[in-house]
């Protein structure tokens, strides 16, 4: 019970700034049961809450909740630097800042190219596949960053 009363103070002390006025805090504090108080505190608006990143930036990030319908089925970008193939564990950094790691046991040798265009496509059961444009090989990848 004391912990719930200290929740707003604890959050403020850790750097989370709340954009609420005193009346909202006092209304929550006056609620008789802990569940209602907690629900009231959680409903308070947060100052500086960041909007969700664009759909392309969320592409490939694993999460627990249900798939968001606005995510694309695939993205296109270019690899930063040179790419002459991959094997298990190879990390590929894209021009958009995303980093993907190859999780296939298969290896691929490709013509050495600088900044090759790639496509990463969503597959079955949550898998993602990286394919270099102009090549038929595809690697199963997971997003690292």
């Amino acid at each position: 019970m004391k912990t719930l009363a200290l929740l707003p103070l604890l959050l403020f002390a850790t750097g989370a700034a709340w954009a609420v006025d005193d009346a909202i805090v006092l209304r929550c504090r006056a609620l008789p049961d802990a569940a209602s108080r907690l629900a009231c505190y959680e409903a308070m608006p947060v100052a500086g809450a960041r909007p969700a990143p664009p759909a392309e930036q969320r592409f490939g990030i694993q999460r627990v909740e249900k798939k968001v319908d606005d995510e694309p089925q695939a993205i296109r970008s270019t690899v930063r630097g040179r790419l002459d193939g991959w094997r298990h564990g190879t990390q590929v950094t894209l021009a958009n800042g995303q980093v993907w790691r190859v999780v296939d046991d298969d290896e691929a040798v490709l013509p050495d190219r600088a900044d090759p265009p790639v496509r990463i496509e969503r597959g079955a059961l949550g898998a993602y596949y990286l394919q270099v444009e102009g090549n038929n090989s595809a690697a199963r990848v997971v997003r690292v960053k």
Side-chain angles (χ1 to χ4, degrees):
M1 181 103 127
K2 290 180 184 177
T3 305
L4 287 177
L6 295 175
L7 182 64
L9 180 61
L10 177 63
L11 289 172
F12 184 78
T14 60
W18 290 80
V20 296
D21 59 33
D22 292 338
I24 296 173
V25 174
L26 292 174
R27 187 184 75 222
C28 291
R29 190 181 294 167
L31 292 172
D33 65 294
S36 297
R37 263 193 314 279
L38 180 58
C40 182
Y41 287 132
E42 287 180 347
M44 289 181 186
V46 177
R50 296 185 314 172
E56 184 174 293
Q57 290 300 317
R58 290 190 314 269
F59 183 82
I61 295 178
Q62 293 180 349
R63 55 182 178 274
V64 176
E65 67 266 13
K66 190 177 176 183
K67 178 182 129 184
V68 179
D69 290 335
D70 68 341
E71 282 190 359
Q73 189 63 25
I75 62 167
R76 291 184 184 277
S77 188
T78 57
V79 173
R80 283 188 189 159
R82 303 194 75 75
L83 182 67
D84 61 357
W86 59 72
R87 64 176 160 267
H88 183 80
T90 299
Q91 288 197 2
V92 177
T93 302
L94 303 182
N96 64 11
Q98 295 177 0
V99 179
W100 295 80
R101 182 172 31 91
V102 175
V103 293
D104 271 345
D105 288 331
D106 296 335
E107 293 184 15
V109 177
L110 306 172
D112 187 16
R113 294 172 55 189
D115 304 323
V118 294
R119 174 182 166 97
I120 299 180
E121 185 173 286
R122 182 186 315 275
L125 303 174
Y128 293 91
Y129 295 93
L130 175 136
Q131 185 171 15
V132 176
E133 195 171 286
N135 190 290
N136 290 335
S137 296
R140 184 164 187 247
V141 292
V142 294
R143 184 159 171 199
V144 177
K145 176 181 167 208

